[in-house]
Amino acid sequence: MHKGIAASRGIGIGSICVIVEHELTYDAKKIEDVESETKRFQDAVEEFKKETAEMAEDIRKRIGPKEAEILEGHLVMMSDPTMAGEMEKMIAAGQCAESAVSAVCDMFIGMFSKMDDDMMRQRASDISDIKTSLLKLLLGIKDIDISKVAPGTILVAKDLTPSMTSQINKDNVAGIITEVGGKTSHSAILARALEIPAVLSVPDITTLVEDKNTAIVDGTEGIVYINPDGDVLSQYIRKREEFIKKQSELKSFVGVPTKTSDGDSVELFCNIGTPKDAKKAIECDGEGIGLFRSEFLFMDNTHMPTEDEQFNAYKEAAVTMGGKPVIIRTLDIGGDKDIPYLGMKKEENPFLGYRAVRYCLGNKDSYVIQLRAIMRASAFGKIKIMIPLVTCLEELRAVKELVNEIKKDFDANGIDYDKNIEVGCMIETPSASLIADILAKEADFFSIGTNDLTQYTMSVDRGNADVAYLYSTYQPSVLRSIKHIIESGRNAGIPVGMCGEAAADPLMIPLLISFGLTEFSVNPVLVLTARCIISKWSKSEADSLTEKVMAMATESEVVKALKEAAKE
Ligand code: PEP
Ligand code: MG
């Protein structure tokens, strides 16, 4: 049995096809004929663009526009004269095309991979993908045609690049195993979009298996079996059937109101990163947007998005949601998210530093641009403003003051906006939790960010693997904090939602129902699962489990009790 990262749910059983990486070796010779070498390079670039555009088009049709964007990004990078221009300069100085491609790509990879932020590090993997494709074209290497693998194939690769994934035929590929990649890597995103079970980051897997070995990929638990014995195989065949049955049962939850088994209604919203994701939320039957992470608009850009650019993005989300709530979180940067063009200082403790609302209130000019864009878009739907990383009442007051000033300006200039636009707080710091009763008197709503609340409550960097054992929402301290926030909001008569990952956690759901959470905001693909689990619990059942769990002293006892009581 091998363990890795559970990247795409489900059970895949089949026969392995190892995607061998070719040695991209070449003789780094000095060239004499610059003109013909430049032509050889340009031909390879043209071929790359042609193949990438075809693959992007194919993926757009078969999977969706969001997934095609990854390859389109490669196309943009190679169409931009920056990289190609650098390469041509090196060829003009006598380097062969292969050396020029390698050196320039390595320079950019080095630059992006040092960045703290996930999105930027992803650029490094995009450029590495481009480098491999260009070198293969220059060296005349052809890969195996993934689109033609036999039905029931389990693909095993060091890393599955977007260009490889784009060739996958969902009917033939039963599972994916890789040696690298995390939950948010492109291969994970694409595997989830194709609904193919995937386990990533399984150490040395490419050297441990051979073509035609039988494999089980448990993408829900992050487990892989190679040549399993008969018992394990039959156990997993059963599990696969159960999973498939459960998935088809979930279809019966499409269009159904989200209710507990005894009829208490709650709202089931989605977390999104771009306005285009709002379409996905609608397709997945989300009832609103509980978290629009606006920083992606800033991160996917080379300049600060203008008021109009932001307005268009927020308006698109509002219009797509057709009057359903869209909660836009104002810029949450700093911490693990850097935006190079903002020139933010490197900090000793970025998670405790100049982050989110702190940065925004320190840079009021750009914050006002964002607030104006959000407020103008509020004329086109039900938009709400949410402030990240609040730690004290002054921050909420300062943002509300800016909102009021903008209202006055809009009124004076006849600019349309929703005069009742709500301003709420994310509760994701221990400080905000402890003063939740105070904040609740002046906030229109709360949304609990358990990802950060857990990090700050447990004093655990959420990205540090060495202390990951402490990073758990089931810790009694975190549970108490969540309970307290929900009670404080309810006592003040304001709605309390949750947009951290815990909102979709089947084990947490009964506790959240019992605490009185009224809005769950989850990844769009988890809407039906969450609705199904909520429907299985009555308030009284949830209450008695919660009473038992809240009296427990350790995380392990809590997890055991929740697992025993789980209804999946
Ligand atoms: C959270 O902290 O729970 C949250 C939803 O925000 P993010 O994960 O973007 O920090
Ligand atoms: Mg957060």
Side-chain angles (χ1 to χ4, degrees):
M1 194 251 268
H2 306 267
K3 276 199 88 56
I5 292 172
S8 176
R9 294 179 308 153
I11 311 284
I13 302 175
S15 171
I16 281 181
C17 169
V18 185
I19 302 171
V20 185
E21 291 203 24
H22 294 278
E23 285 280 310
L24 296 176
T25 47
Y26 53 89
D27 185 9
K29 54 184 185 301
K30 282 264 168 221
I31 46 123
E32 303 292 330
D33 186 350
V34 169
E35 202 175 316
S36 73
E37 190 67 358
T38 306
K39 167 98 175 48
R40 194 169 74 88
F41 166 73
Q42 287 170 342
D43 286 350
V45 172
E46 282 317 304
E47 185 59 24
F48 169 85
K49 289 202 268 190
K50 185 172 148 269
E51 285 179 5
T52 308
E54 281 167 8
M55 279 193 282
E57 184 51 28
D58 176 56
I59 208 165
R60 173 179 294 281
K61 282 198 204 121
R62 283 191 307 114
I63 311 176
K66 169 116 185 52
E67 290 70 24
E69 273 173 21
I70 298 168
L71 285 167
E72 282 158 3
H74 293 185
L75 207 53
V76 171
M77 282 188 231
M78 271 326 283
S79 303
D80 181 285
T82 321
M83 271 214 311
E86 287 300 318
M87 292 168 186
E88 283 185 17
K89 267 192 226 154
M90 291 188 71
I91 296 170
Q95 304 267 11
C96 68
E98 287 86 348
S99 297
V101 165
S102 293
V104 173
C105 288
D106 288 347
M107 191 265 290
F108 280 104
I109 292 167
M111 190 177 91
F112 283 117
S113 56
K114 277 201 213 79
M115 294 186 177
D116 286 339
D117 153 293
D118 261 7
M119 292 283 289
M120 288 297 147
R121 279 203 303 271
Q122 190 59 53
R123 291 276 141 80
S125 117
D126 286 330
I127 294 174
S128 165
D129 204 11
I130 293 173
K131 173 183 163 187
T132 308
S133 304
L134 282 176
L135 285 178
K136 279 182 186 161
L137 283 166
L138 289 166
L139 296 166
I141 293 171
K142 277 244 165 277
D143 284 322
I144 58 163
D145 188 350
I146 297 176
S147 66
K148 303 238 162 63
V149 296
T153 296
I154 305 280
L155 294 177
V156 176
K158 207 166 201 70
D159 189 10
L160 214 52
T161 61
S163 42
M164 286 178 191
T165 323
S166 66
Q167 301 168 41
I168 290 177
N169 177 346
K170 177 177 162 38
D171 297 332
N172 295 354
V173 177
I176 294 168
I177 314 171
T178 68
E179 272 181 24
V180 297
K183 262 201 163 71
T184 56
S185 67
H186 285 153
S187 26
I189 295 169
L190 285 162
R192 281 198 291 275
L194 287 162
E195 295 178 74
I196 297 174
V199 179
L200 308 188
S201 277
V202 181
D204 304 321
I205 194 72
T206 54
T207 50
L208 300 172
V209 299
E210 282 173 19
D211 279 346
K212 304 257 182 312
N213 284 168
T214 299
I216 297 172
V217 179
D218 180 345
T220 311
E221 297 293 331
I223 293 172
V224 166
Y225 288 91
I226 307 299
N227 292 331
D229 65 29
D231 284 352
V232 174
L233 195 57
S234 35
Q235 183 197 335
Y236 271 91
I237 289 172
R238 254 196 330 272
K239 272 198 178 178
R240 181 176 60 180
E241 275 158 17
E242 280 162 22
F243 182 83
I244 293 167
K245 192 162 152 251
K246 229 185 267 165
Q247 289 305 108
S248 68
E249 278 168 11
L250 285 180
K251 298 223 168 73
S252 66
F253 286 92
V254 175
V256 173
T258 309
K259 283 188 176 163
T260 58
S261 68
D262 48 351
D264 281 353
S265 290
V266 292
E267 290 172 309
L268 187 49
F269 290 176
C270 293
N271 295 346
I272 62 168
T274 69
K276 294 209 170 33
D277 294 345
K279 284 203 187 70
K280 179 95 181 160
I282 293 285
E283 277 159 30
C284 294
D285 208 25
E287 300 159 17
I289 302 299
L291 168 64
F292 180 160
R293 289 182 161 101
S294 70
E295 56 273 14
F296 286 101
L297 280 178
F298 292 70
M299 284 155 75
D300 280 348
N301 239 312
T302 48
H303 65 275
M304 174 79 124
T306 62
E307 183 179 317
D308 277 350
E309 283 169 341
Q310 292 190 55
F311 161 72
N312 286 329
Y314 306 142
K315 177 181 162 192
E316 183 183 337
V319 170
T320 306
M321 294 311 291
K324 292 178 174 161
V326 176
I327 301 178
I328 301 178
R329 172 172 78 183
T330 60
L331 188 60
D332 182 1
I333 41 149
D336 58 349
K337 299 179 202 132
D338 182 26
I339 298 181
Y341 59 80
L342 292 183
M344 295 173 74
K345 273 205 312 256
K346 278 259 168 251
E347 296 178 300
E348 285 283 324
N349 290 300
F351 277 116
L352 301 180
Y354 203 37
R355 237 198 103 173
V357 71
R358 304 168 182 186
Y359 175 87
C360 289
L361 289 174
N363 291 273
K364 285 213 177 102
D365 290 351
S366 49
Y367 198 34
V368 165
I369 290 174
Q370 178 171 41
L371 291 172
R372 286 176 62 92
I374 297 175
M375 288 168 69
R376 278 170 57 199
S378 72
F380 297 87
K382 185 83 206 113
I383 284 182
K384 305 183 191 198
I385 297 170
M386 180 156 77
I387 317 166
L389 208 83
V390 170
T391 50
C392 59
L393 184 60
E394 288 87 336
E395 289 165 337
L396 170 61
R397 285 188 177 162
V399 177
K400 285 178 73 169
E401 203 178 303
L402 291 177
V403 169
N404 286 335
E405 279 165 22
I406 296 169
K407 281 185 178 178
K408 275 190 216 139
D409 178 62
F410 282 5
D411 289 339
N413 291 292
I415 299 172
D416 254 3
Y417 70 99
D418 173 7
K419 293 197 177 357
N420 298 315
I421 190 163
E422 293 180 16
V423 180
C425 293
M426 277 197 81
I427 307 292
E428 51 181 348
T429 63
S431 175
S433 170
L434 288 165
I435 59 160
D437 56 327
I438 298 174
L439 293 168
K441 292 199 184 102
E442 299 186 29
D444 294 316
F445 63 91
F446 282 166
S447 183
I448 307 176
T450 46
N451 307 343
D452 275 318
L453 186 67
T454 307
Q455 147 164 282
Y456 292 120
T457 304
M458 294 304 297
S459 307
V460 156
D461 176 342
R462 67 196 244 193
N464 183 336
D466 294 336
V467 284
Y469 68 97
L470 285 170
Y471 184 86
S472 165
T473 42
Y474 313 118
Q475 283 285 354
S477 55
V478 182
L479 294 180
R480 286 178 190 208
S481 183
I482 294 172
K483 178 171 189 274
H484 168 72
I485 297 163
I486 298 173
E487 275 172 6
S488 304
R490 286 181 74 95
N491 289 341
I494 60 165
V496 183
M498 178 176 286
C499 56
E501 294 299 306
D505 177 352
L507 298 186
M508 285 293 290
I509 284 175
L511 303 181
L512 302 175
I513 291 172
S514 173
F515 294 157
L517 193 80
T518 50
E519 176 237 302
F520 294 67
S521 191
V522 306
N523 183 317
V525 296
L526 294 174
V527 165
L528 297 182
T529 311
R531 186 174 289 150
C532 168
I533 291 171
I534 291 167
S535 78
K536 291 189 174 163
W537 287 92
S538 70
K539 176 78 167 59
S540 56
E541 282 171 325
D543 283 346
S544 62
L545 174 64
T546 304
E547 197 184 319
K548 205 167 98 189
V549 162
M550 293 307 283
M552 290 174 170
T554 64
E555 192 245 12
S556 51
E557 285 171 84
V558 170
V559 172
K560 186 162 172 280
L562 293 179
K563 281 196 171 155
E564 275 164 16
K567 300 181 186 214
E568 287 198 51

